[in-house]
Amino acid sequence: MTSPDTPATAANSAKSMDDIVALCRRRGFIWQSSEIYGGINGFWDYGPLGAELKRNLKDAWWHDIIRCPPKGPDGDMISMVPVDCTIIMNPKVWIASGHVAGFNDPMMDDRDTQRRYRADQLFVFFPTNVQTRHDTFGIAVEAVNLQEAEQRWDDLHKTGAIEHIYKLASKQFGFNPDEPMGIAGDSGDQLTAEQQSRTFGPNHEHPGDWVVGTKLTAEQRDRTIAPSAKKFGTLMAARQFNLMYQTYNGPIQSDENKVYLRPETAQGIFCNFKNVLDTSRVKVPFGIAQVGKAFRNEVTPRNFTFRSREFEQMEIEFFIRPDAAKEWYAWWRDARYAWWQAVGLAGENLQLREHDRDELAHYAKDGAGTSDIEYRFPFTSPGFGELEGVAHRTDFDLRQHAEHSGLGDKLKYFDQERNERYFPHVIEPSAGADRGTLALLCEAYTPDATRPSGVYMKFTPRMAPIKAAVFPLVNKDGMPEVAEKLYLDLRQKWAVQFDVKQTIGKRYARMDEAGTPYCFTVDGDTLKDQTVTVRHRDTQQQERIALDKVSAFLAEKLA
Ligand code: GAP
């Protein structure tokens, strides 16, 4: 499902991720963690602008989900309550949830380059020899999906790397690099339909025959070259790797004291289900929500903050009667999609994707469905990357905790209206605060050659890190005093900046890169007629408004 395009939606495929990362660094949105020591892979810090931006996103979620949730499918108010649980929990939690046994990624090491890959993110193409009709050897590229893999495959041709690989193949397997390697031509006409589908097109389209790393046989691995490797056959067999970080509780580093950093915030919610029931006046249907850090020792952190090892989640576990799952699942899916649109991802870069049956997590197999709300990041374009998953988790987690904690039926909910005791089912909308922030940054990034900055950040006013800037035109003649008074007043309500340095043009340029929607300038006329100029970020238009109306103006614009 996509919504109509809006002018705010510049094509993300045309945006350069390198430029976005450079702006984030230069303007203090996001930096590498511990940068002065060379950084650490998969960890990121938010600078002054980034911290405000991410906070705005989390505050909007908290406000719109916990304090003022939308009305439910029947038009009734819904109950939502927050919790704030610890990162380290009793390790039995993660046995019950299935994370100790099953929170694994398949990993493949390459002996030649010493690089490590997620085996499900290695795509191995097997060119077809047009003359012998046989697959020859495998060429592996690293990508999150087939679309990206095809791009990497094209890159191999564009950069000439493929010729180098053919030369290596000729040395290792006696392959003749001048052979018509799967390029469709006259001889291609003689191929069967099946062979044609496995054959390169004239523009080096991939041959249609590929295998994902997890499915490579040992024989295929021996004939495959890993990315940047200098010979074939150096990839090792895929191994399962548990993503949970481990540490020890207390001074003794023994197995009994082993604990985990939580890989999701959801389990803290399930563990407190009974506490919430016993202490609040909630009745099914109701939700418990939490925002907090999660940690995953990702095999290949990549794409800026998209796949980090430390990140923040915004999760809801919404408890319902089992027979109401279908209705609530569809309602939450659509409500969450509408929310992402409302915070500024309103164009074609946002989509809702229902999972195929074979993609469903084990706990969701018997459920009403799972869908992802996805954003077209510049690095996934033309494909999409997940921002939030909405899943019907059935009663899997509560049943598991009932069994493993020994609480059994005490963890059931007593439905007074029905005079019935049951494990409620759960709809879980689980969003990433860092991925959301990254999507806001990518969406806002708007190159504009007419501006001195060459770019501006078109955040919705609600998300903008700085809502307004106040400038005295010059740092004398009574202007700084008036501007400072205005600034001190506005900052009581909003994130506002005061800037007296450099020319007014340079100050506008700084605010354009920060994405500040309004700049107020106190000038010579202000002292005469008590008006200021307001400059609108998107149009660069200026108008004069009364000094004593600035606060009301901003309140209306930011409402
Ligand atoms: N409780 C369900 C759960 O954790 P998930 O799909 O694994 O589901 C939910 O994670 C969200 O958390 C994702 O949609 C994504 O936004 C965010 N997320 C997951 N892994 C991440 C990572 N390594 N880096 C940044 N965000 C991540």
Side-chain angles (χ1 to χ4, degrees), residues 55-354:
R55 191 192 168 97
N56 289 343
L57 185 71
K58 290 189 292 179
D59 284 353
W61 185 89
W62 191 276
H63 176 271
D64 299 346
I65 292 298
I66 297 171
R67 299 240 169 98
C68 308
K71 288 193 167 162
D74 45 12
D76 287 348
M77 288 198 297
I78 62 172
S79 273
M80 295 290 307
V81 292
V83 290
D84 187 347
C85 311
T86 58
I87 284 165
I88 293 178
M89 302 174 72
N90 187 312
K92 287 181 189 158
V93 170
W94 307 109
I95 296 170
S97 67
H99 284 82
V100 169
F103 195 51
N104 300 322
D105 267 349
M107 174 178 89
M108 266 177 135
D109 288 326
D110 176 34
R111 277 194 303 268
D112 184 25
T113 59
Q114 308 296 320
R115 282 176 59 185
R116 175 161 288 173
Y117 300 97
R118 258 183 61 175
D120 55 345
Q121 294 184 351
L122 265 190
F123 290 79
V124 185
F125 291 110
F126 287 93
T128 306
N129 183 320
V130 172
Q131 282 165 350
T132 63
R133 317 279 200 268
H134 286 128
D135 287 346
T136 45
F137 42 79
I139 302 172
V141 295
E142 190 183 20
V144 286
N145 54 33
L146 183 59
Q147 258 170 337
E148 195 193 338
E150 285 173 348
Q151 275 171 10
R152 298 288 87 81
W153 176 253
D154 278 349
D155 293 345
L156 289 179
H157 290 87
K158 281 191 203 130
T159 59
I162 196 81
E163 274 142 41
H164 179 65
I165 293 175
Y166 285 172
K167 275 195 197 126
L168 289 176
S170 77
K171 264 200 219 142
Q172 216 169 321
F173 305 123
F175 156 74
N176 173 3
D178 297 328
E179 273 180 36
M181 267 298 297
I183 297 178
D186 290 345
S187 52
D189 296 342
Q190 296 153 21
L191 298 181
T192 63
E194 192 269 331
Q195 283 163 333
Q196 272 178 18
S197 76
R198 294 159 17 106
T199 298
F200 296 86
N203 297 320
H204 310 294
E205 297 122 33
H206 77 77
D209 202 7
W210 55 274
V211 175
V212 76
T214 42
K215 304 244 166 82
L216 267 188
T217 63
E219 192 270 325
Q220 283 172 322
R221 255 190 308 113
D222 288 346
R223 297 181 72 78
T224 292
I225 186 159
S228 309
K230 294 197 186 57
K231 55 183 179 203
F232 287 76
T234 58
L235 275 173
M236 293 162 79
R239 291 180 286 150
Q240 290 300 333
F241 170 74
N242 193 291
L243 300 186
M244 282 196 295
Y245 279 95
Q246 298 177 10
T247 185
Y248 298 95
N249 189 30
I252 298 170
Q253 303 205 347
S254 64
D255 268 1
E256 301 96 79
N257 294 331
K258 193 156 77 183
V259 288
Y260 304 96
L261 305 193
R262 68 180 176 198
E264 62 171 19
T265 60
Q267 297 305 324
I269 295 179
F270 291 120
C271 290
N272 282 297
F273 172 71
K274 190 166 159 20
N275 281 339
V276 170
L277 275 185
D278 292 349
T279 54
S280 347
R281 298 168 61 84
V282 288
K283 285 199 303 195
V284 163
F286 74 96
I288 309 179
Q290 161 156 243
V291 180
K293 291 267 187 183
F295 301 81
R296 296 183 189 176
N297 198 358
E298 297 283 357
V299 176
T300 48
R302 64 201 294 245
N303 289 329
F304 203 20
T305 59
F306 182 82
R307 191 169 300 289
S308 306
R309 288 179 166 145
E310 174 175 340
F311 55 96
E312 253 177 304
Q313 291 187 312
M314 307 184 291
E315 293 205 292
I316 305 163
E317 307 302 326
F318 196 74
F319 300 92
I320 52 170
R321 284 202 323 254
D323 58 5
K326 228 175 168 171
E327 186 181 29
W328 279 108
Y329 165 68
W331 183 84
W332 269 113
R333 182 195 59 200
D334 296 347
R336 294 302 304 143
Y337 182 75
W339 186 83
W340 284 108
Q341 289 183 309
V343 295
L345 308 181
E348 281 187 341
N349 293 329
L350 193 69
Q351 76 166 13
L352 194 54
R353 189 179 66 82
E354 201 78 38

Side-chain angles (χ1 to χ4, degrees), residues 17-18 20-26 28-36 38-48 50-51 54 58 245 293-296 298 300-312 379 433-435 437-438 441:
M17 202 58 213
D18 287 347
I20 295 174
V21 173
L23 180 133
C24 283
R25 214 203 153 289
R26 184 172 76 243
F29 279 99
I30 300 177
W31 301 308
Q32 262 202 311
S33 164
S34 26
E35 199 179 74
I36 59 169
I40 170 167
N41 201 5
F43 295 86
W44 300 92
D45 289 341
Y46 289 81
K54 187 173 168 190
K58 290 189 292 179
Y245 279 95
K293 291 267 187 183
F295 301 81
R296 296 183 189 176
E298 297 283 357
T300 48
R302 64 201 294 245
N303 289 329
F304 203 20
T305 59
F306 182 82
R307 191 169 300 289
S308 306
R309 288 179 166 145
E310 174 175 340
F311 55 96
E312 253 177 304
F379 49 81
D434 302 270
R435 282 198 192 164
T437 306
L438 184 58
L441 284 163

Side-chain angles (χ1 to χ4, degrees), residues 388-446:
E388 170 161 356
V390 182
H392 173 207
R393 291 179 76 109
T394 66
D395 54 5
F396 173 82
D397 303 87
L398 284 181
R399 277 187 188 280
Q400 286 293 105
H401 289 302
E403 186 189 326
H404 286 258
S405 66
L407 277 181
D409 283 356
K410 290 203 190 99
L411 217 53
K412 281 186 173 167
Y413 171 76
F414 179 63
D415 190 327
Q416 282 181 331
E417 270 169 41
R418 295 182 159 202
N419 195 24
E420 201 185 311
R421 215 173 259 288
Y422 55 82
F423 288 112
H425 275 212
V426 167
I427 307 296
E428 177 194 67
S430 169
D434 302 270
R435 282 198 192 164
T437 306
L438 184 58
L440 292 179
L441 284 163
C442 294
E443 186 78 3
Y445 186 88
T446 312

